[in-house]
Structure formats: structure tokens, C-alpha cells
Amino acid sequence: METLHWQWTLIIVSSLILFLVSPLAKTRDQFFKAVNNRKAPNTLVLTGSLIISWIFAKSITNAANLGLDFGIVGGVAYAGYYLSFAVAGLLIYQMRTKGGFESIHQFLSSKFGKGAMAIFSILIAIRLFNEVWSNTMVIGSYFGNTGSLPYYTAIIVFTVLTLAYAIKGGLSSSIFTDVIQMILFSVLLIVILWNVFSAEDFSAQTVVSSGTWSFELGLNLFFAAIIQSFSYPFHDPVLTDRAFISSPKVTRRSFILASILGALCIVLFSVIGIYAQSQGMKGQAAVEVGKAFGVIILLVINFIMITSAASTLDSTFSSFSKLLAVDLNMGIDLTFGRASMAAIAILGTLPVFLDAEILSATTISGTMVIGLTPVFVFWNMKVPKVSFYLSVICGLLFGFVLVFGLFPKALILTEGKYADLLWVNVWGILSCIILYIIPKWIKK
């Protein structure tokens, strides 16, 4: 019970401090664009914000569990998703400097029309909706068993406290608190790794030799992550919103740095799972390792989960309000922006009470949006409007095929876990690209 007492203290005190130090947004620029005193975020601030808003509670849990299952290969495989930053950074840099676009929505509506923008908006709204419950459920699991009163209480309290400081400052408070959360995350990660490497029989050598570099044991996921990185970032407004607030050069530099440092953080966090593997532990790697090292380390791991979940949650709230208010022009004033934050918080929390599947939130939506690959990779290519619909709908179909296990076994060319994920993405992306280009050939 002692631990639980401390966990509650951590959640409440840290959220209240963030609420007190968050800037109060008084203008639209402050609330939706994080522009303060006419200055946009610099490289350091933007890089930190990108990394911590993407290292969410769920991804840390996944990294540790993949380390437990596949050793270092699991960590590296999951880190493959961080190629997304470099891809988005370089492509959006070109879209801004050569194309003169000021947002993803402006690009889509000017090139493919209002219908394309509407479909895209629905895709990212679902993504943001997923983001809320999939992160708060991780927090809840540290306070009680799924479905218990402490579990639900923790989720509601945590969501309300995070919502409070997000409503206060919008994207400004989201980016400001991200920097604090990134520093905290780094310090806490060092504390955990220090303890893990101080244990007997565990060294860098154990980490390096902990996995097997084969498709069956992790590489399926690695290649799937690399392929998805060409579409994945574009359906995540938490990432793309941050690509339009600073100057193009600062943005490109920040995104490339975030790609390298974010991947490094994930690999380092998977070391916790590798330690769990070396000790023969079973279950949730981060929780088991925490228990093994005693109350202090368990609390440190808890605190890492809290900071990373809060940073993702506040970013989700600010992206959703910008989507409705700015991108879709539904209401420009700050009251509307704040009300839409409260709305996504309530709607996004409902699945918690409906027993939704936690891990499906990212992997599936990752496959469903592969149709965005040619749309952004060939952003400068002149194609008819129908190309967008053909590619995006094709991607969605492949996503559903994966979910319902309908993909023909003959087309899966490797063995082991995630083989279906890899090959659905390989054939899916090839199909999307062909369908995207066909109307251009026909028009000739």
C-alpha cells in the first residue's frame, strides 16, 4: 500500500506543478502554434518535444516487452519506427520550401480537393482518439488490476489533471511541459540503467548477445517498422503539427536529431526487458524489473510512465483542438479550442470502460495508413485527384485484411511473429504505389 500512496503523490504533485508552470495562452498563436513573444521553438526545444511526445507510455511498455521477447533485436526493431521523424522532416522541409505549403491540410485540399482532406481528417481523428485510451490504460495498470476501482480512478484523475494544464496553454503548454518531461525522462532512464548494469551477471556484453538477428526473432517487425515509417508519421498530427511551427531549417534539423535520439532512447529502454529476459522473468517486463529492484526503482519506472503518458496526452489534446479549429475551420476562438480538448478527453476515455485491446492501437493503424506513402513521398508529382482515393482505400483494405487474418499464407515469405505484419505491408505498399500512379499513365 505504501507504494500506491507514493504513486498517487507522484501523479498529483507532478501534474499540479506542470499546471502552475505552464504558460497561459491568451492569443490564437500561443494556443495553436506555440508562438510566444513572437518566437517559435528553437532546435533544442523542438527536438525534446518531438522525442518525448512520441515516447509514450505504450511505446515504453512495448520496448521493454520486445526486449524481453527478442533481446536487443526487439529493441532495435521497435526503434525502426523512429525513422518516421527523418522521413517527415525531410519531406515536409521540401513541401514548405519548394511547395510553399503551411500545413498538411492545405497541401491535401489544394492538390486533391476537400473530399481527400475530409478522409484524412477522419483518419487522424481516429488516431488521436486511440492515443487517449491506449496511454491512460497503461497508467491505470500501475494502480490496480484492469477493471478495478483503483484502475478506473487513476485513469480519470490522470486524464483530468493533464487536461487542466493542456487547456490552460494549448500547444504552448504542451511544448513547454515536453521539455521538462524530456529532462525528467532522461534522468530517470539513467537511474534505471545504472541499477540494471550494477546488477551481478549483467553487462553490455549480455545486451549485445541477447538476441538473434533473424526474421523469426525480431527482424520481421524491424522491416515492417521501416516500411511503415514512410506513411506512419503523416497520420500523426502530434508529429506533423510540430513540423510547421519553427523555421524550415530548424524543423529539419530537429526532426533528424529526434530520429536518432528517439531510436536510442527506445533501444536503451529495451535493456530493461533484456535484463528481465536474463533473469527468466515473465509478464510485463517493466513492472517485473521494478518489483525486483524494490520500491524506489518501481516508483522511478512509474514516474517515467506518468511523464511520458502525460506528454503524449497533452499533445493529443492540443492536436485535436487544432485539427477542428484551425485545419477544419470549425471555430477559431480559444473557447472552442478548449472545449474540443475536453471533448476528446471524454470521448477518448470511454473505450477504457469497454475493455479495448491495448496494443492494436498503433500497429493496426500503422498498416491502415500505408496508402499515404505515395501521397507524401511523391508529393510533387502531378496526378489526378482519384490517385489519392485509390491509394488510401487500398491501404485501408490491406489494414482490414491484416486485422481479420485474411491474408493468403502463400504471400508471407518469412516465418515467426510479425511475419504477416511485414508482408501485408510489403505487398500493400507496392499495390498502393501502383494504384496511385495508374491514373497518371491512363491520362497520358
Side-chain angles (χ1 to χ4, degrees):
M1 288 314 287
E2 181 83 352
T3 324
L4 217 54
H5 178 77
W6 279 107
Q7 280 170 253
W8 276 110
T9 311
L10 278 180
I11 272 199
I12 293 165
V13 172
S14 64
S15 303
L16 288 176
I17 290 172
L18 289 178
F19 179 77
L20 291 170
V21 298
S22 301
L24 173 67
K26 291 175 182 158
T27 66
R28 286 189 59 207
D29 273 2
Q30 288 172 333
F31 195 83
F32 295 115
K33 293 183 181 169
V35 173
N36 286 305
N37 304 331
R38 298 198 181 150
K39 281 206 323 235
N42 61 26
T43 307
L44 206 62
V45 170
L46 193 56
T47 306
S49 175
L50 281 167
I51 296 171
I52 196 69
S53 62
W54 244 48
I55 296 186
F56 26 108
K58 191 171 76 263
S59 59
I60 291 181
T61 307
N62 288 357
N65 288 340
L66 285 164
L68 173 63
D69 292 343
F70 301 118
I72 188 70
V73 188
V76 170
Y78 202 62
Y81 278 107
Y82 283 76
L83 176 64
S84 294
F85 280 124
V87 170
L90 294 168
L91 287 174
I92 292 175
Y93 174 79
Q94 290 183 326
M95 286 163 75
R96 287 178 68 183
T97 51
K98 291 181 184 163
F101 295 110
E102 287 173 19
S103 74
I104 297 283
H105 281 74
Q106 186 202 354
F107 159 68
L108 288 174
S109 55
S110 64
K111 187 166 179 181
F112 300 106
K114 286 268 160 66
M117 190 179 91
I119 288 182
F120 179 73
S121 300
I122 292 167
L123 280 175
I124 62 178
I126 293 170
R127 157 85 189 180
L128 291 169
F129 169 75
N130 268 346
E131 219 50 92
V132 178
W133 57 262
S134 58
N135 275 289
T136 55
M137 283 169 82
V138 175
I139 297 295
S141 67
Y142 278 81
F143 286 82
N145 295 325
T146 307
S148 65
L149 187 64
Y151 169 84
Y152 288 135
T153 312
I155 288 174
I156 292 166
V157 170
F158 176 70
T159 308
V160 169
L161 289 170
T162 308
L163 180 65
Y165 75 78
I167 278 181
K168 184 181 174 188
L171 192 59
S172 282
S173 64
S174 178
I175 288 187
F176 177 76
T177 53
D178 280 348
V179 176
I180 301 171
Q181 286 154 335
M182 186 64 213
I183 295 165
L184 259 177
F185 175 84
S186 311
V187 171
L188 297 172
L189 182 59
I190 290 166
V191 170
I192 294 171
L193 291 175
W194 179 263
N195 275 277
V196 166
F197 282 112
S198 304
E200 285 174 46
D201 321 323
F202 193 78
S203 63
Q205 184 55 41
T206 322
V207 173
V208 175
S209 58
S210 63
T212 309
W213 296 88
S214 71
F215 278 98
E216 295 87 301
L217 297 173
L219 287 184
N220 279 327
L221 180 65
F222 175 72
F223 288 111
I226 296 297
I227 292 170
Q228 284 188 2
S229 294
F230 288 88
S231 55
Y232 198 80
F234 298 105
H235 89 302
D236 183 6
V238 166
L239 183 148
T240 53
D241 285 351
R242 285 165 167 73
F244 290 94
I245 49 181
S246 298
S247 73
K249 279 200 169 136
V250 165
T251 304
R252 183 176 60 177
R253 196 182 310 131
S254 302
F255 270 71
I256 290 170
L257 271 171
S259 206
I260 299 161
L261 298 173
L264 182 67
C265 287
I266 287 291
V267 172
L268 288 174
F269 213 92
S270 71
V271 169
I272 294 170
I274 297 168
Y275 176 78
Q277 185 195 55
S278 74
Q279 302 301 308
M281 295 175 185
K282 296 276 181 283
Q284 291 284 349
V287 182
E288 296 309 316
V289 171
K291 286 178 185 164
F293 278 109
V295 176
I296 304 284
I297 293 298
L298 185 60
L299 284 173
V300 169
I301 291 178
N302 270 351
F303 200 30
I304 269 205
M305 294 298 178
I306 292 166
T307 45
S308 55
S311 72
T312 305
L313 213 51
D314 65 43
S315 302
T316 302
F317 295 153
S318 50
S319 285
F320 186 75
S321 74
K322 178 183 168 286
L323 170 69
L324 296 191
V326 179
D327 298 331
L328 300 178
N329 244 337
M330 288 162 86
I332 305 171
D333 64 343
L334 299 191
T335 312
F336 178 84
R338 291 185 162 121
S340 46
M341 282 187 171
I344 188 73
I346 295 164
L347 287 172
T349 306
L350 292 177
V352 166
F353 301 96
L354 306 173
D355 189 33
E357 180 63 41
I358 212 170
L359 275 178
S360 60
T362 45
T363 35
I364 291 172
S365 67
T367 301
M368 287 181 176
V369 294
I370 53 174
L372 294 174
T373 307
V375 175
F376 289 98
V377 172
F378 310 127
W379 69 273
N380 217 354
M381 184 195 283
K382 281 193 165 53
V383 289
K385 288 180 180 175
V386 73
S387 290
F388 174 88
Y389 296 96
L390 288 173
S391 182
V392 169
I393 290 166
C394 174
L396 285 168
L397 289 174
F398 271 92
F400 283 115
V401 162
L402 177 65
V403 176
F404 297 112
L406 303 172
F407 196 65
K409 295 278 185 283
L411 294 175
I412 300 176
L413 307 182
T414 54
E415 295 289 320
K417 202 175 177 186
Y418 302 114
D420 53 347
L421 177 73
L422 170 62
W423 291 99
V424 167
N425 277 277
V426 170
W427 299 116
I429 280 207
L430 289 173
S431 309
C432 290
I433 291 172
I434 292 165
L435 283 173
Y436 185 77
I437 297 171
I438 283 176
K440 181 181 164 74
W441 289 338
I442 293 173
K443 250 192 156 178
K444 276 183 180 172

